[in-house]
């Protein structure tokens, strides 16, 4: 199924591409080497509207459709995957959860500064012993007067050392498992908020990942997001958009790797001719191109379905699963085409190879995506048999 993009969508894609190639691409290698947070670039992205893409105009956002957002995020990831993951978590999860479940007061107080980039938002769900099984989380929130007192540790938090605002999931009724989970808007300046050490990661070096420790953290009761016991629903509603975001990031990195492989294969001469003339390598590139295009269509399909207001959990998981695994295949093959040079930090493909590896892990592993897809597909078959 082909996609015909509107003039507005093409304009947003072009704007994101120009910004990413001019502002992000030249700095990406140094930021990776020095683990440098892209604060100045994020400020510019806030001014350009890239940090409030899904937020309504009345809260200071761009209010574009999900397809436009996916196109822009792909372009950002093409240039710098670290910046793209910050943009994705901020838009899809932080802004998305407040937009979907926040009160008018919460939207006015938090969405406006999030949309213009004054605040960078993150999402805190995973824990040391609760990653793919969030119902097993042990972080608790106990109501005491006008506050909830949070205690526990969150792990693998993107922007844990740099973001200002966090959507935090904690148990208000531990006996109820997922039905006892509630969501909260927590800011870094709240009493009892402690940042853990930065993880020394394989890739995405310019995006920090840390633990967050809640040590009797005092969160105003008015910062409850949704109602008590609705936290799991809040989290799951944000994950569809989040998985489309990861799929778009994966697409951007895979696309960049394909372009690098094609360019290198034309320049590298062996046995008196460019290596792109060798049939074995040409077929590798053909398979890579098919992979990238298939991922692109899956991403746009999931985004378009979300824009139509249709259930898209299956399509979001399909896009995330295929695109993340595509990025790993394509970056690996692109590095192979570069030969020994690709194994050195002097060549961009080495960074893309490292950055791509996490895409099959966060926002739900590939195995979790297969569970979601299988449940949807098999469930559909059961319904058809009943008819």
């Amino acid at each position: 199924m082909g996609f015909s993009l509107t003039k507005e969508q093409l304009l947003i894609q072009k704007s994101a591409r120009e910004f990413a190639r001019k502002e992000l691409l030249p700095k990406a290698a140094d930021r990776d080497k020095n683990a440098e947070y892209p604060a100045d670039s994020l400020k510019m992205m806030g001014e350009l509207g890239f940090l409030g893409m899904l937020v309504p105009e009345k809260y200071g956002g761009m209010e574009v459709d999900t397809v436009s957002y996916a196109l822009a995020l792909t372009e950002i990831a093409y240039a710098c995957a670290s910046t793209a993951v910050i943009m994705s978590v901020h838009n899809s999860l932080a802004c998305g959860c407040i937009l979907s479940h926040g009160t008018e007061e919460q939207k006015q107080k938090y969405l406006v500064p999030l949309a213009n980039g004054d605040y960078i938002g993150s999402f805190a769900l995973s824990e040391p012993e609760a990653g793919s099984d969030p119902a097993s989380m042990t972080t608790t929130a106990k109501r005491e007067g006008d506050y909830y007192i949070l205690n526990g540790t969150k792990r693998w938090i993107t922007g844990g050392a740099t973001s200002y605002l966090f959507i935090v999931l904690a148990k208000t009724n531990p006996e109820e498992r997922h039905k006892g989970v509630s969501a909260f808007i927590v800011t870094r300046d709240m009493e009892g908020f402690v940042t853990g050490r930065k993880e020394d990661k394989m890739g995405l070096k310019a995006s920090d990942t840390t633990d967050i420790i809640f040590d009797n953290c005092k969160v105003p009761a008015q910062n409850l997001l949704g109602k008590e016991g609705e936290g799991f629903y809040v989290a799951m509603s944000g994950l569809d958009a989040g998985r489309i975001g990861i799929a778009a990031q994966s697409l951007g990195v895979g696309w960049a790797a394909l372009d690098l492989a094609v360019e290198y294969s034309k320049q590298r001469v062996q046995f008196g001719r460019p290596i792109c003339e060798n049939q074995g390598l040409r077929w590798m590139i053909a398979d890579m191109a098919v992979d990238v295009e298939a991922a692109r269509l899956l991403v746009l399909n999931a985004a378009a379905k979300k824009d139509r207001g249709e259930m898209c959990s299956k399509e979001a998981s399909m896009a995330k699963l295929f695109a993340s695994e595509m990025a790993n295949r394509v970056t690996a093959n692109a590095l192979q085409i570069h030969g020994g040079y690709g194994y050195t930090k002097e060549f961009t493909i080495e960074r893309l190879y490292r950055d791509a590896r996490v895409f099959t892990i966060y926002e739900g592993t590939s195995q979790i995506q297969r569970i979601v897809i299988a449940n949807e597909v098999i469930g559909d078959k059961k319904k058809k048999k009943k008819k």
Side-chain angles (χ1 to χ4, degrees):
M1 180 170 61
F3 280 88
S4 179
L5 300 177
T6 66
K7 289 183 179 180
E8 181 182 3
Q9 289 166 344
L10 289 169
L11 185 62
I12 290 170
Q13 182 184 44
K14 180 182 178 183
S15 175
R17 178 174 298 178
E18 290 175 349
F19 169 79
R21 305 291 172 93
K22 180 179 179 181
E23 168 64 22
L24 300 178
L25 194 57
K27 301 176 180 179
D30 284 341
R31 283 176 170 165
D32 171 74
K33 180 180 179 180
N34 302 316
E36 176 194 344
Y37 185 73
D40 56 339
S41 296
L42 290 169
K43 186 175 186 301
M44 293 174 66
M45 290 169 69
E47 293 169 353
L48 292 169
F50 292 126
L51 298 183
M53 295 196 74
L54 305 175
V55 176
E57 292 181 3
K58 70 175 181 176
Y59 302 120
M62 285 182 69
E63 198 171 5
V64 302
D65 56 21
T66 313
V67 169
S68 296
Y69 167 60
L71 292 170
L73 187 53
T74 298
E75 296 295 341
I76 299 298
Y78 184 104
C80 178
S82 292
T83 304
V85 70
I86 298 168
M87 174 183 168
S88 178
V89 172
H90 175 94
N91 275 285
S92 302
L93 297 175
C95 292
C97 287
I98 295 175
L99 181 60
S100 298
H101 302 280
T103 63
E104 183 60 28
E105 181 183 359
Q106 289 171 339
K107 291 175 184 177
Q108 292 288 351
K109 184 175 181 180
Y110 296 115
L111 270 186
V112 173
L114 283 169
N116 63 30
D118 287 345
Y119 295 172
I120 297 298
S122 288
F123 188 75
L125 173 63
S126 296
E127 297 186 1
E129 303 300 327
S132 296
D133 180 17
S136 297
M137 72 175 64
T138 58
T139 297
T140 58
K142 185 178 179 181
R143 180 73 181 260
E144 292 186 6
D146 294 333
Y147 292 89
Y148 283 91
I149 307 302
L150 270 62
N151 282 285
T153 299
K154 294 295 181 179
R155 180 147 292 173
W156 316 122
I157 307 306
T158 297
T162 48
S163 293
Y164 176 72
L165 180 148
F166 300 82
I167 306 299
V168 178
L169 281 297
K171 283 191 172 177
T172 45
N173 189 347
E175 290 76 29
E176 291 293 319
R177 285 184 59 80
H178 70 276
K179 291 182 180 179
V181 175
S182 300
F184 300 88
I185 301 171
V186 181
T187 55
R188 179 175 297 282
D189 56 357
M190 291 179 180
E191 179 184 336
F193 183 103
V194 180
T195 303
R197 68 177 180 86
K198 290 184 181 180
E199 300 292 344
D200 186 7
K201 299 176 300 181
M202 176 181 179
L204 301 180
K205 295 276 195 175
S207 168
D208 60 278
T209 302
T210 76
D211 282 0
I212 295 176
I213 301 105
F214 300 106
D215 183 10
N216 290 320
C217 182
K218 294 181 67 175
V219 179
Q222 63 194 28
N223 279 36
L224 176 69
L225 188 58
K227 298 178 181 178
E228 276 199 18
E230 291 184 350
F232 196 76
Y233 173 68
V234 172
M236 293 303 103
S237 68
L239 286 179
D240 281 347
R243 286 166 179 170
I244 293 172
I246 301 301
Q249 292 173 53
S250 302
L251 173 59
V253 171
W255 187 2
L258 172 61
D259 283 354
L260 287 173
V262 170
E263 181 182 2
Y264 183 83
S265 72
K266 290 178 178 179
Q267 297 173 353
R268 177 66 169 170
V269 175
Q270 291 288 278
F271 305 104
R273 62 180 184 175
I275 60 174
C276 67
E277 294 183 12
N278 296 320
Q279 178 173 288
L281 190 143
R282 293 174 73 86
W283 284 9
M284 283 177 67
I285 290 177
D287 288 341
M288 291 159 67
V290 171
D291 248 0
V292 171
E293 180 64 8
R296 186 183 76 88
L297 293 173
L298 281 168
V299 170
L300 292 178
N301 179 59
K305 194 160 188 178
K306 189 173 189 303
D307 285 334
R308 293 194 298 268
E310 301 173 13
M311 291 293 294
C312 64
S313 293
K314 179 180 70 175
E315 289 75 15
S317 285
M318 284 179 167
K320 198 273 185 186
L321 171 64
F322 186 86
S324 63
E325 296 194 344
M326 173 279 295
N328 277 270
R329 287 192 298 270
V330 170
T331 54
N333 282 332
L335 194 151
Q336 184 73 19
I337 288 169
H338 280 71
Y341 290 107
Y343 198 63
T344 68
K345 292 186 180 295
E346 189 177 341
F347 281 70
T348 302
I349 190 57
E350 184 271 344
R351 169 169 54 85
L352 299 187
Y353 181 76
R354 286 185 289 106
D355 285 345
R357 188 61 192 88
V358 77
F359 293 151
T360 61
I361 298 172
Y362 65 6
E363 294 281 355
T365 63
S366 289
Q367 290 69 31
I368 290 295
Q369 305 311 320
R370 287 183 168 93
I371 290 173
V372 172
I373 295 164
N375 287 345
E376 291 274 348
V377 172
I378 294 169
D380 289 345
K381 287 181 178 179
K382 286 181 178 178
K383 290 175 185 176
K384 288 176 183 176
K385 285 182 179 180
K386 287 180 181 179
K387 291 179 181 179

